[in-house]
Amino acid sequence: QVQLVESGGGLVQTGGSLRLSCADSGRTLSRFGMGWFRQAPGKERELVAAISRSSSSTYYRDSVAGRFTLSRDNAKKTVFLQMNSLKPEDTAVYYCAADSDVRVGPTVIIYEYDYWGRGTQVTVSS
């Protein structure tokens, strides 16, 4: 059973940084496609970044490209989202998700993800 747990959220001032972590103690994430989503109150859940099963390619939505970096540490079964130059519009609950299917590139379709964490709150003050 895959159990994803996010951590690292919190309160930060505009322009600050946070690093989110996603871990699965029950199974290595090294061969899963992984994604970070976020959802603000009253808004649709949106894909922030994704990495392919092989870690050979990544996807970033335009609004975070150049500020956020998705990476993984296979030995520690952990995926990270480094968030720099944070803005108030980045405020949301951030979710880690895993795609267990074999795919060529990063998974960008939300319904193709099989497992979800419970989320971690990120709040950026102005």
Side-chain angles (χ1 to χ4, degrees), residues 67-86:
R67 299 189 296 122
F68 291 10
T69 302
L70 175 58
S71 62
R72 70 200 314 170
D73 184 335
N74 291 337
K76 296 182 178 180
K77 303 179 181 180
T78 306
V79 178
F80 304 98
L81 184 67
Q82 178 67 45
M83 305 186 295
N84 299 325
S85 302
L86 283 162

Side-chain angles (χ1 to χ4, degrees), residues 32-88:
F32 283 7
M34 301 296 298
W36 283 98
F37 290 78
R38 66 187 181 188
Q39 187 168 25
K43 301 293 181 63
E44 294 289 326
R45 189 171 299 186
E46 63 182 21
L47 178 64
V48 177
I51 189 166
S52 64
R53 181 174 178 270
S54 66
S55 297
S56 62
S57 60
T58 54
Y59 163 87
Y60 298 94
R61 71 182 303 108
D62 289 342
S63 61
V64 309
R67 299 189 296 122
F68 291 10
T69 302
L70 175 58
S71 62
R72 70 200 314 170
D73 184 335
N74 291 337
K76 296 182 178 180
K77 303 179 181 180
T78 306
V79 178
F80 304 98
L81 184 67
Q82 178 67 45
M83 305 186 295
N84 299 325
S85 302
L86 283 162
K87 306 173 181 179

Side-chain angles (χ1 to χ4, degrees), residues 18-31:
L18 287 172
R19 189 179 74 161
L20 306 183
S21 300
C22 174
D24 174 21
S25 61
R27 179 182 294 181
T28 180
L29 300 177
S30 64
R31 294 185 178 182

Side-chain angles (χ1 to χ4, degrees), residues 10-18 67 83-91 122-126:
L11 303 173
V12 66
Q13 194 175 68
T14 297
S17 298
L18 287 172
R67 299 189 296 122
M83 305 186 295
N84 299 325
S85 302
L86 283 162
K87 306 173 181 179
E89 51 262 45
D90 295 318
T91 296
V122 172
T123 303
V124 184
S125 65
S126 59

